Amino acid sequence: MAKVIHTMIRVLDLEKSMKFYAEVLDLHESHRLDFPDFALVYVRNAQNDVEIELTLNKGRTEAYTHGTGYGHVGVVVPDVAAAHAALVAKGYEPAPVKEFKRGDELLARFCFIQDPDGYKIELLERHGHYQ
């Protein structure tokens, strides 16, 4: 069986991106491959087997486009309102917390935030399907 091990995103400012992922998702460098033209930095935390690969193409100054295919990375947190408040206190600007319901049944409580390169991350409260 296949096992998902990482997802890759291209970044313009590696240090800025690493700071964001450390402060927002508690993801820290687990492995680095540095080459003359590019660098690959893998970030994760103790709760994850899956990593995010931050790819820096050295010398690039033009922002990447995300096209119409990329959506977001989803992560779970114990309390999305508390996570939202903590991000605001750190100077980040997450979108408002929202609820997704079927009638009166709560399916999900979530908010979005964007990383320094504009990639969307969905913070979902641990509940129901989102464990």
Side-chain angles (χ1 to χ4, degrees):
M1 298 295 281
K3 177 182 176 182
V4 176
I5 59 168
H6 71 256
T7 188
M8 183 275 277
I9 59 173
R10 290 179 174 86
V11 302
L12 280 181
D13 183 331
L14 183 58
E15 296 310 314
K16 188 175 183 180
S17 293
M18 289 177 64
K19 180 178 187 264
F20 173 87
Y21 283 96
E23 290 182 353
V24 173
L25 300 178
D26 192 30
L27 300 177
H28 303 275
E29 182 175 334
S30 62
H31 186 65
R32 182 185 292 240
L33 299 170
D34 202 356
F35 299 95
D37 295 336
F38 67 96
L40 308 175
V41 177
Y42 298 87
V43 295
R44 65 176 298 218
N45 63 30
Q47 294 186 29
N48 292 287
D49 288 332
V50 176
E51 297 173 312
I52 295 178
E53 175 188 311
L54 304 176
T55 297
L56 174 71
N57 290 310
K58 296 176 182 178
R60 183 176 175 108
T61 57
E62 182 182 339
Y64 291 101
T65 61
H66 303 145
T68 58
Y70 177 80
H72 63 267
V73 172
V75 301
V76 294
V77 296
D79 180 336
V80 76
H84 186 277
L87 292 173
V88 170
K90 290 179 181 178
Y92 292 103
E93 298 178 6
V97 174
K98 295 184 177 184
E99 292 185 345
F100 182 49
K101 292 184 174 184
R102 183 185 308 130
D104 290 335
E105 178 189 9
L106 177 65
L107 300 176
R109 186 173 292 119
F110 63 95
C111 70
F112 282 91
I113 189 166
Q114 290 188 357
D115 83 352
D117 292 280
Y119 295 102
K120 291 182 181 177
I121 300 164
E122 182 181 24
L123 304 175
L124 289 145
E125 190 164 295
R126 192 175 310 275
H127 173 81
H129 176 76
Y130 307 105
Q131 297 295 321

